[in-house]
Amino acid sequence: MKRNGEAVDDEGFVADAKKQRLLEQSSSPPSSLVENPLHQLTAYDDIDDEEDVTRGRLRNGYQEGADGRVAEEQNGRVVDERGKEEDDSESDDEQDEEHNKGRRGRLVEVRRDCPYLDTVNRQVLEFDFEKFCSVSLSNLNVYACLVCGKYYQGRGKKSHAYTHSVEAGHHVFINLQSERVYCLPDGYEINDPSLDDIRHVLNPRFTREQVEQIDRNKQWSRALDGSDYLPGMVGLNNIKETDFVNVTIQSLMRVTPLRNFFLIPENYQHSKSPLVHRFGELTRKIWHARNFKGQVSPHEFLQAVMKASKKRFRIGAQSDPVEFMSWLLNTLHADLKTSKKRSSIIHECFQGELEVIKEIPGKIMADKKESGDDQDGNANLTDSGTELTNVMSETSRMPFLMLGLDLPPPPLFQDVMEKNIIPQVPLFNILKKFDGEAVTEVVRPRLARMRYRVTRLPRYLILHMRRFTKNNFFVEKNPTLVNFPVKNLELKDYIPLPTPGDKDRLRSKYDLIANVVHDGKPGEGSYRVFVQRKSEELWYEMQDLHVSETLPQMVALSEAYMQIYEQHQ
């Protein structure tokens, strides 16, 4: 009998063909997903190769079961290997987890003979940008197409990568997290050593032996386009007014202990800070000798900087490299230190100590000036005959990561040739600020006279020339040139230093390794940096993507803004 065009049995129940199909297919694990428009976006039929751990796969003679165990048959018995992690994307939603249960029994074939390996185009591969799917803008389970270089999410039949492989005819994809390579739409994993160079560019690796030998390497590397580049001396993209970040990064790359620390990810794996890991990743890419290109884009690092600084430093807005250096070092230190170890590689490299003597006018002097009674100023004697001063003095010890040097004001008048005189000052003259005798007057938070004396020198000394002064109307730049030695800066001749212990020796001699320069008007100009390559003791001028060898004499002729000196060991 038919009712409204549908078949009805004797008891009056509707025999829905669709319901029967669902019941028949419920025994088939791969197609047990209930149709839901949201699942096309969130729950792919085969989301990630990390799900192979939970589904089961064949790999090098191992078969992994549906419960996440690897079973290997040895001498007639089965050996289980536990401890596998399930994909986080499956544990987020209980409903998706129920749907996923049915598909965990599938196996992924591993092959070496993929016919599409010759379609891989290394020229278009770019792993410096954020790992987001170009369609869904999600950063979960992202694959890179090794033919066109675009990023897509997932690799199941409803995923964007699968759709792209069918529509565009691109078949080779690499998972950006696990670095496994798959052929789509067939779905098998490709195990071929010819793809190792792509994995090294995606995630550069260094052994401790390689790190120790890195400064002895004098060999140039060749990019895919035929250009030569020096590992560690590669240019950085100026994404949009981010030259202040580039010169800071290039300067820090010359600090050997800091660089060596970040070349080994195990040193900071305890940190959960994205900024720390992005800085380490950028360091490895700069010093990697097998890059496809002779340049690196700090895009991912800049995204981490914007988030960590709450957009204080951001793409598209020029900032001060001195402020950025100070913020970056303090933030990295805070993210690297642990409850057991309060220090970090940042403080081990850059932290020194100052003795600060602060003299504040006493209350007696202030009261007398207000009342106009200042005639008896020399009659303040104690019973012991010692004169009482009207100044309160405070002495304290203060750590520092950077020393700020004050430049003398430029001349206001022109010479007889009607040209402005560009004054020059020796570095030793402005270093006298820290000899313990020179007085520096400060107005805020209250009027005081300060005296500074260095009591402990850091291994790497950062100097900052205060070229910019702000008032209520505009920012003014001081063009005074600072004459400084490139090698053998001896501080003990100009700054009284504490006497070292019996077993220690005074290390007060420094060599310049980085010199940041500002060109142009204040607030509008650009930054470049001179850095030294230790393997050959040659100097290079770096401005974003431009890297050129230069003479040491040219380094000393520039308007130095920030410098890093390395201590003689």
Side-chain angles (χ1 to χ4, degrees), residues 365 368 374-382 386-390:
M365 176 71 77
K368 286 188 175 183
D374 196 17
Q375 299 177 357
D376 199 17
N378 296 325
N380 297 323
L381 298 177
T382 61
T386 304
E387 183 177 353
L388 281 175
T389 62
N390 293 317

Side-chain angles (χ1 to χ4, degrees), residues 42-44 47-55 83-98 100 103-104 138-142 153 175 177-178:
T42 58
Y44 297 124
I47 296 180
D48 191 3
D49 63 342
E50 291 179 2
E51 290 182 5
D52 297 340
V53 177
T54 61
R55 282 196 307 269
K84 298 293 184 180
E85 294 182 358
E86 294 190 357
D87 188 5
D88 293 337
S89 62
E90 294 188 1
S91 59
D92 291 339
D93 191 282
E94 293 182 359
Q95 185 178 2
D96 288 344
E97 189 171 350
E98 291 296 325
N100 291 338
R103 66 170 190 258
R104 292 182 179 176
S138 171
N139 61 351
L140 298 175
N141 311 320
V142 180
Q153 187 178 18
N175 183 279
Q177 188 69 30
S178 66

Side-chain angles (χ1 to χ4, degrees), residues 38 56 99 186 195 228 328 356 416 441 443 469 478:
L38 293 179
H99 294 317
D186 297 344
L195 301 171
D228 295 330
L328 180 62
V356 182
V416 292
E441 293 188 355
V443 179
T469 54
N478 190 331

Side-chain angles (χ1 to χ4, degrees), residues 114-219:
C114 179
Y116 302 111
L117 286 180
D118 58 345
T119 63
V120 174
N121 186 4
R122 290 167 173 79
Q123 300 278 358
V124 300
L125 298 183
E126 184 73 67
F127 298 125
D128 291 342
F129 295 94
E130 288 185 293
K131 279 55 173 189
F132 281 102
C133 173
S134 58
V135 180
S136 66
L137 300 182
S138 171
N139 61 351
L140 298 175
N141 311 320
V142 180
Y143 288 75
C145 174
L146 298 185
V147 182
C148 65
K150 295 181 180 179
Y151 295 168
Y152 295 97
Q153 187 178 18
R155 59 180 174 84
K157 291 185 178 181
K158 296 181 182 180
S159 67
H160 301 301
Y162 188 96
T163 304
H164 174 73
S165 69
V166 174
E167 292 180 350
H170 298 171
H171 302 287
V172 188
F173 293 79
I174 186 171
N175 183 279
L176 297 179
Q177 188 69 30
S178 66
E179 302 176 17
R180 294 198 183 107
V181 182
Y182 292 89
C183 178
L184 297 181
D186 297 344
Y188 59 85
E189 182 178 348
I190 305 172
N191 182 17
D192 194 296
S194 66
L195 301 171
D196 288 345
D197 61 333
I198 298 177
R199 295 187 176 97
H200 278 279
V201 172
L202 173 61
N203 183 20
R205 301 167 179 83
F206 290 85
T207 64
R208 298 191 182 275
E209 292 75 17
Q210 290 173 331
V211 170
E212 293 174 359
Q213 300 292 327
I214 201 167
D215 280 332
R216 302 174 187 174
N217 176 37
K218 299 181 180 181
Q219 186 175 358

Side-chain angles (χ1 to χ4, degrees), residues 254-358:
R254 313 309 132 194
V255 180
T256 305
L258 184 72
R259 177 203 65 194
N260 294 352
F261 177 86
F262 280 100
L263 286 179
I264 307 295
E266 288 77 12
N267 293 333
Y268 48 91
Q269 62 183 0
H270 67 277
S271 175
K272 298 181 179 179
S273 167
L275 182 69
V276 170
H277 292 278
R278 290 290 176 262
F279 184 80
E281 183 179 348
L282 181 60
T283 303
R284 298 198 304 275
K285 288 182 176 180
I286 289 176
W287 286 95
H288 189 47
R290 297 167 60 184
N291 285 329
F292 291 161
K293 299 180 180 180
Q295 63 199 44
V296 175
S297 176
H299 187 266
E300 284 193 283
F301 174 72
L302 285 168
Q303 294 292 335
V305 167
M306 289 173 60
K307 185 175 181 179
S309 67
K310 299 179 180 178
K311 294 191 176 181
R312 175 184 173 188
F313 304 101
R314 63 184 188 274
I315 299 173
Q318 182 70 276
S319 296
D320 193 323
V322 172
E323 294 181 8
F324 178 68
M325 174 75 84
S326 178
W327 173 86
L328 180 62
L329 294 182
N330 283 288
T331 307
L332 289 177
H333 165 70
D335 292 342
L336 285 171
K337 68 179 182 180
T338 60
S339 57
K340 296 181 180 179
K341 187 178 180 182
R342 305 300 297 174
S343 182
S344 70
I345 187 66
I346 304 296
H347 279 186
E348 292 173 11
C349 292
F350 300 108
Q351 190 180 55
E353 190 179 64
L354 284 176
E355 181 186 72
V356 182
I357 301 175
K358 185 177 184 180

